[in-house]
Amino acid sequence: MFSVNENFLLLNESYLFSTISKKVAQFTATHPDANIIRLGIGDVTQPLTPSVISAIHKAVDEMAVKETFRGYGPEQGYDFLLEAIAENDFKAFGIDISPSEIFVSDGAKSDVGNIVDILGRNNKVAVTDPVYPVYVDTNLMNLADRDQLIMLPCTAENDFLPQLPSEKVDVIYLCYPNNPTGTVMKKEELKRWVDYALENQSLILFDAAYEAYITEKDIPHSIYEIEGAQMCAIEFRSYSKNAGFTGVRCSYTVVPEALKVKSSNGIEIKLNRLWFRRQSTKFNGTAYIVQRAAEAIYSSEGKKEIRGLVDYYMENAKTIREALTQKGWTVFGGTNSPYIWLKCPNTDDSWQFFDQLLTECHIVGTPGQGFGACGEGFFRLTAFNTHEKTREAMERILAWNIG
Ligand SMILES: *Cc1c(COP(=O)(O)O)cnc(C)c1O
């Protein structure tokens, strides 16, 4: 009889979003006239921008003609996109990342998950709590023992920023601006993590999917703004949240040439080579049409349009933050992030607050408990709905007499 990877049996059933849908469906069945506003979504709602659409049309036409048709492309990505990334996302910020250190892919979720392929199964791995669940589940699938997974509590007491681990850890996942808490790390805070990693020969996996939402100074857009980070960190970027590519699928991962580790028999290994080997074996590249769409984001028109998208959502974030603050609630996030993380005002039970907000205000959010034990008592609202609906939701909350 064949066997399966029984690590999959260690995974918690992901009840969060299915439980939410069920509760909303039940409520609408009994209240068909309720005008439900969804502030739970982690997906964008605005369409792709004109530069992106015209690049896609043009690339489609090229594919229709023998002379310009493209088949398999380079696994790492086309040079036109790798060069645009190196130039605009790094050189423009004074960071020296070369095209050979960039790997274009079909999503940061895939890369964040697949990266465990090149890591040992006996590492001690640290993640924050609350957390983006992909980091936890992909490690449970890979690690020899689930006890190797260490949670770093993020609470109101530490402003939802993790403390350095008290024990030595080998791999650390950091996501800033953070999903779900919307918090950010300042340069000197991130520097402490880079210093820790260099001192302990640990690897940082830095998820910068929300980098475009940073509005304040002194918040690093890339971990490579910190000296030494190229020797200890891999960075994940995505076009999903800045350019609305959640359905188009394009992202990239940076694995610097300077990132090296010694094998068990003392040979120096470049992680860049391992990731190249992994990708060229298991992945055949991102669609040409999609890479042309991503390239268009870096044109001067494209940049303006993308800024417009982010600004649109950030206006919602401001609307939410201001209304909840006026209401006297405690809020985190929302200034450098499309997520607002609030303390449930009247209960420590985030599911109870979910039910109350749904039945009394007809608003859907996400209970913090769904992102980890330390999320209990907190609640996530997102800025991805329209201006009109976001404003209406806040009017309802301001008028709400919580029992
Ligand atoms: C949305 C998101 C991503 C991006 O995922 P894609 O697969 O590129 O769409 C990555 N990390 C976090 C924490 C996210 O919330």
Side-chain angles (χ1 to χ4, degrees):
M1 191 168 46
F2 66 89
S3 65
V4 295
N5 176 354
E6 296 200 4
N7 277 20
F8 277 68
L9 309 180
L10 301 173
L11 306 178
N12 285 327
E13 281 300 334
S14 177
Y15 290 123
L16 179 61
F17 289 100
S18 65
T19 307
I20 291 174
S21 316
K22 250 182 247 157
K23 279 175 177 276
V24 175
Q26 267 166 15
F27 182 75
T28 44
T30 48
H31 302 78
D33 296 331
N35 175 12
I36 305 269
I37 299 180
R38 291 168 198 273
L39 300 183
I41 37 175
D43 195 357
V44 296
T45 51
Q46 297 295 306
L48 297 173
T49 63
S51 301
V52 168
I53 289 296
S54 96
I56 292 175
H57 281 301
K58 186 165 168 256
V60 169
D61 289 341
E62 286 177 44
M63 294 298 255
V65 178
K66 190 164 184 289
E67 286 69 30
T68 48
F69 166 78
R70 312 255 185 155
Y72 289 127
E75 291 98 342
Q76 216 172 326
Y78 283 100
D79 283 341
F80 62 78
L81 182 55
L82 298 175
E83 279 157 19
I85 292 168
E87 188 60 40
N88 292 281
D89 286 347
F90 297 102
K91 268 203 193 80
F93 293 87
I95 302 164
D96 189 19
I97 292 288
S98 70
S100 71
E101 297 172 300
I102 300 163
F103 297 79
V104 173
S105 149
D106 63 355
K109 185 176 182 175
S110 332
D111 284 0
V112 159
N114 290 332
I115 200 78
V116 300
D117 278 7
I118 66 164
L119 301 177
R121 300 182 65 236
N122 294 308
N123 286 321
K124 273 208 164 135
V125 178
V127 298
T128 61
D129 173 8
V131 68
Y132 180 56
V134 177
Y135 313 148
V136 171
D137 288 352
T138 53
N139 275 286
L140 290 177
M141 289 172 186
N142 187 55
L143 292 178
D145 186 325
R146 72 176 306 156
D147 291 342
Q148 291 158 233
L149 190 64
I150 290 148
M151 310 303 283
L152 304 172
C154 297
T155 62
E157 286 67 44
N158 57 26
D159 282 330
F160 289 97
L161 291 178
Q163 315 277 291
L164 291 174
S166 48
E167 56 192 308
K168 185 179 151 11
V169 299
D170 303 303
V171 179
I172 303 156
Y173 285 80
L174 295 177
C175 172
Y176 290 96
N178 188 260
N179 177 11
T181 66
T183 52
V184 285
M185 266 195 194
K186 291 211 168 108
K187 224 172 216 167
E188 74 260 24
E189 282 154 348
L190 189 55
K191 182 178 183 309
R192 288 167 51 235
W193 288 87
V194 170
D195 291 346
Y196 172 94
L198 291 172
E199 194 176 309
N200 293 283
Q201 296 183 291
S202 323
L203 172 68
I204 296 177
L205 299 173
F206 191 74
D207 185 341
Y210 295 95
E211 160 279 323
Y213 289 83
I214 295 172
T215 59
E216 292 177 321
K217 280 196 187 130
D218 209 34
I219 314 278
H221 287 247
S222 164
I223 196 169
Y224 305 121
E225 290 179 40
I226 314 292
E227 204 186 323
Q230 296 202 19
M231 288 184 291
C232 66
I234 290 176
E235 180 164 300
F236 304 93
R237 295 273 190 113
S238 170
Y239 300 109
S240 285
K241 311 298 169 24
N242 63 347
F245 273 37
T246 52
V248 176
R249 312 306 304 141
C250 195
S251 68
Y252 66 87
T253 291
V254 180
V255 188
E257 299 278 358
L259 185 52
K260 296 167 191 167
V261 69
K262 283 231 162 58
S263 72
S264 51
N265 58 1
I267 298 168
E268 192 171 78
I269 299 168
K270 277 190 174 181
L271 270 70
N272 179 286
R273 290 293 89 196
L274 291 194
W275 186 242
F276 179 80
R277 197 72 169 85
R278 192 272 168 210
Q279 288 300 79
S280 54
T281 302
K282 293 196 182 183
F283 182 62
N284 246 340
T286 306
Y288 171 71
I289 297 165
V290 166
Q291 293 192 57
R292 282 294 185 198
E295 181 195 25
I297 294 167
Y298 295 107
S299 67
S300 61
E301 268 315 297
K303 281 180 188 167
K304 268 184 238 155
E305 294 166 1
I306 297 317
R307 186 46 29 215
L309 282 181
V310 171
D311 288 347
Y312 183 90
Y313 298 126
M314 285 309 280
E315 189 174 324
N316 288 337
K318 186 162 177 265
T319 302
I320 298 172
R321 249 191 94 86
E322 288 180 354
L324 301 187
T325 306
Q326 188 185 336
K327 185 86 181 161
W329 294 359
T330 304
V331 295
F332 297 84
T335 24
N336 298 292
S337 150
Y339 296 118
I340 289 88
W341 183 249
L342 60 116
K343 182 162 169 35
C344 301
N346 58 341
T347 174
D348 285 332
D349 181 339
S350 55
W351 278 106
Q352 188 193 325
F353 183 72
F354 173 92
D355 289 333
Q356 237 186 329
L357 193 66
L358 174 63
T359 56
E360 296 175 28
C361 296
H362 305 171
I363 295 169
V364 181
T366 313
Q369 190 269 341
F371 300 103
C374 290
E376 185 56 299
F378 287 82
F379 202 77
R380 191 189 76 173
L381 294 179
T382 82
F384 289 128
N385 213 315
T386 60
H387 286 166
E388 297 70 27
K389 288 199 168 168
T390 305
R391 273 191 229 113
E392 186 182 336
M394 292 307 111
E395 280 159 21
R396 290 183 196 172
I397 286 181
L398 284 170
W400 188 20
N401 205 341
I402 314 177

